[in-house]
């Protein structure tokens, strides 16, 4: 109440309004306009309630508080305001959660969202600025994500922050709400195999990709000793041509554009064809920003190519995102040329 009175008494209109009240009391009893803020909010009203000894009029000061309405786009949000906790029934609708008196101090509201996968807790400060007289509307800026997952092993079990969900990629459905501060990591496991892990920062679908098992056939290993190893410049040219073809195949939804660069006996080709179909189903396209061969090594199996690449990825339902990777490819000679046989690892930077 003291902060409220300080707020009112320091407003420029206060002295004038009180003088007007006194004049009105002399001129016309029981008619007093409400004192309003410069923004048109009702602060309080003077009302005549009776008389003392039948002679002297008595009055009450009616204070008009502000109402706080809150909306959240995250289900099961709980808010704390003026030491009272309230659950929001329908997240997308504004709901009145309390009243307060305006002052020069900002007001604080806390909020929390709990789920089986991670809790979100935060608070914000807001001013007494109103959109309608005596009504404050506030949308909570909750940073939470709802995600889905995809994998080349649909029977793999999904793990969140190292804990098993006991559900497969196929059955888990949507997951969330999840914090988007990078504190949540998700991966999948199948038997003794572990997929690549993803940290959660936005809504969307996350790929929990497994390296494919393969057997190197003897007929391919013998080529390593019999054929010439490409120079670094030749490997740079090969990788640049492969990258351009791979991105074109993704955007044209046509695996045949890049098929030439894959070894017919390898697993990279089938993986690429499956991945193109997946991106097509999601409406995702890519733009190659940069790619280069960082290093390479010759082994008994073939040539291991260490590369860097960066893409601008366009989604139909959210903003474009730039992503960069360090990748290892196994190249195997098919008797005439070196071809991409297996994607060994890929790490998002």
């Amino acid at each position: 109440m003291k902060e409220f009175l300080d707020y009112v008494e320091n407003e420029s209109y206060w002295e004038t309004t009180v003088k007007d009240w006194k004049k009105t009391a002399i001129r016309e009893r029981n008619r007093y306009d409400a004192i309003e803020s410069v923004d048109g909010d009702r602060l309080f009203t003077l009302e005549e309630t009776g008389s003392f000894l039948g002679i002297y009029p008595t009055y009450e000061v009616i204070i008009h508080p502000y109402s706080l309405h809150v909306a959240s786009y995250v289900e099961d949000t709980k808010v704390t305001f003026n030491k009272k906790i309230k659950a929001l029934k329908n997240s997308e609708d504004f709901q009145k959660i309390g009243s307060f008196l305006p002052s020069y101090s900002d007001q604080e509201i806390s909020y929390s969202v709990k789920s089986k996968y991670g809790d979100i807790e935060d608070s914000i400060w807001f001013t007494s600025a109103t959109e309608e007289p005596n009504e404050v509307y506030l949308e909570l800026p909750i940073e939470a994500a709802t995600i889905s997952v995809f994998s080349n092993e649909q029977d793999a079990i999904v793990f969140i922050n190292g804990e098993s969900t006991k559900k497969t990629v196929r059955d888990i459905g949507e997951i969330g709400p999840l914090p988007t501060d990078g504190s949540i990591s998700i991966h999948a496991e199948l038997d003794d195999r572990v997929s690549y892990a993803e940290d959660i920062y936005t809504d969307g679908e996350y790929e929990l990709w497994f390296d494919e098992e393969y057997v190197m056939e003897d007929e391919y290993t013998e080529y390593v000793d019999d054929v010439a190893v490409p120079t670094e410049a030749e490997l740079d040219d090969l990788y640049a041509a492969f990258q351009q073809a791979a991105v074109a195949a993704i955007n044209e939804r046509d695996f045949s554009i890049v098929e030439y660069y894959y070894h017919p006996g390898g697993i990279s080709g089938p993986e690429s064809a499956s991945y193109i179909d997946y991106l097509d189903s999601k409406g995702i396209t890519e733009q190659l920003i940069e790619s280069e061969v960082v290093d390479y090594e010759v082994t008994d199996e073939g040539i291991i190519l260490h590369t860097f690449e960066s893409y601008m990825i366009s989604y139909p339902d959210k903003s474009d995102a730039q992503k960069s990777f360090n990748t290892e490819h196994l190249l195997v000679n098919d008797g005439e040329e070196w071809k991409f046989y297996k994607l060994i690892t890929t790490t998002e930077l």
Side-chain angles (χ1 to χ4, degrees), residues 148-162:
S148 55
V149 293
F150 173 83
S151 177
N152 55 337
E153 295 287 359
Q154 293 291 302
D155 292 325
I157 300 297
V158 178
F159 284 71
I160 296 179
N161 278 3

Side-chain angles (χ1 to χ4, degrees), residues 155-206:
D155 292 325
I157 300 297
V158 178
F159 284 71
I160 296 179
N161 278 3
E163 297 292 330
S164 173
T165 65
K166 299 181 180 179
K167 292 185 178 180
T168 66
V169 173
R170 178 182 290 105
D171 297 331
I172 196 167
E174 288 193 335
I175 307 170
L178 299 174
T180 56
D181 57 1
S183 62
I184 299 295
S185 178
I186 186 168
H187 75 276
E189 297 184 11
L190 181 64
D191 299 327
D192 58 347
R193 301 167 61 204
V194 179
S195 75
Y196 301 122
E198 294 276 6
D199 293 332
I200 307 303
Y201 291 100
T202 63
D203 289 327
E205 185 163 40
Y206 287 77

Side-chain angles (χ1 to χ4, degrees), residues 135-317:
E135 307 289 339
V136 176
Y137 293 88
L138 187 65
E139 292 184 9
L140 299 178
I142 301 177
E143 296 184 359
T146 299
I147 68 168
S148 55
V149 293
F150 173 83
S151 177
N152 55 337
E153 295 287 359
Q154 293 291 302
D155 292 325
I157 300 297
V158 178
F159 284 71
I160 296 179
N161 278 3
E163 297 292 330
S164 173
T165 65
K166 299 181 180 179
K167 292 185 178 180
T168 66
V169 173
R170 178 182 290 105
D171 297 331
I172 196 167
E174 288 193 335
I175 307 170
L178 299 174
T180 56
D181 57 1
S183 62
I184 299 295
S185 178
I186 186 168
H187 75 276
E189 297 184 11
L190 181 64
D191 299 327
D192 58 347
R193 301 167 61 204
V194 179
S195 75
Y196 301 122
E198 294 276 6
D199 293 332
I200 307 303
Y201 291 100
T202 63
D203 289 327
E205 185 163 40
Y206 287 77
E207 302 164 22
L208 308 182
W209 207 259
F210 288 83
D211 284 336
E212 296 284 356
E213 295 179 344
Y214 75 101
V215 177
M216 178 63 70
E217 300 180 19
D218 292 339
E219 61 180 292
Y220 300 134
T221 60
E222 66 186 34
Y223 295 138
V224 178
D225 297 327
D226 297 340
V227 300
V229 175
T231 65
E232 184 173 348
E234 290 172 334
L235 288 174
D236 285 336
D237 291 342
L238 172 62
Y239 189 63
F242 165 72
Q243 281 290 86
Q244 292 182 5
V247 171
I250 287 173
N251 296 335
E252 296 295 329
R253 315 307 192 193
D254 184 358
F255 171 69
S256 65
I257 295 175
V258 72
E259 186 175 10
Y260 167 81
Y261 294 93
Y262 289 115
H263 195 292
I267 61 176
S268 285
E271 282 184 353
S272 175
S274 175
Y275 188 57
I276 290 172
D277 290 341
Y278 163 69
L279 294 182
D280 185 19
S281 70
K282 299 299 178 182
I284 298 173
T285 57
E286 297 182 356
Q287 177 185 353
L288 180 63
I289 297 176
E290 180 184 0
S291 70
E292 64 173 332
V293 175
V294 178
D295 195 7
Y296 71 96
E297 55 186 305
V298 179
T299 70
D300 291 339
E301 294 179 331
I303 300 173
I304 297 178
L305 207 60
H306 303 267
T307 65
F308 166 82
E309 52 269 353
S310 183
Y311 308 91
M312 182 64 70
I313 301 177
S314 299
Y315 304 89
D317 54 355

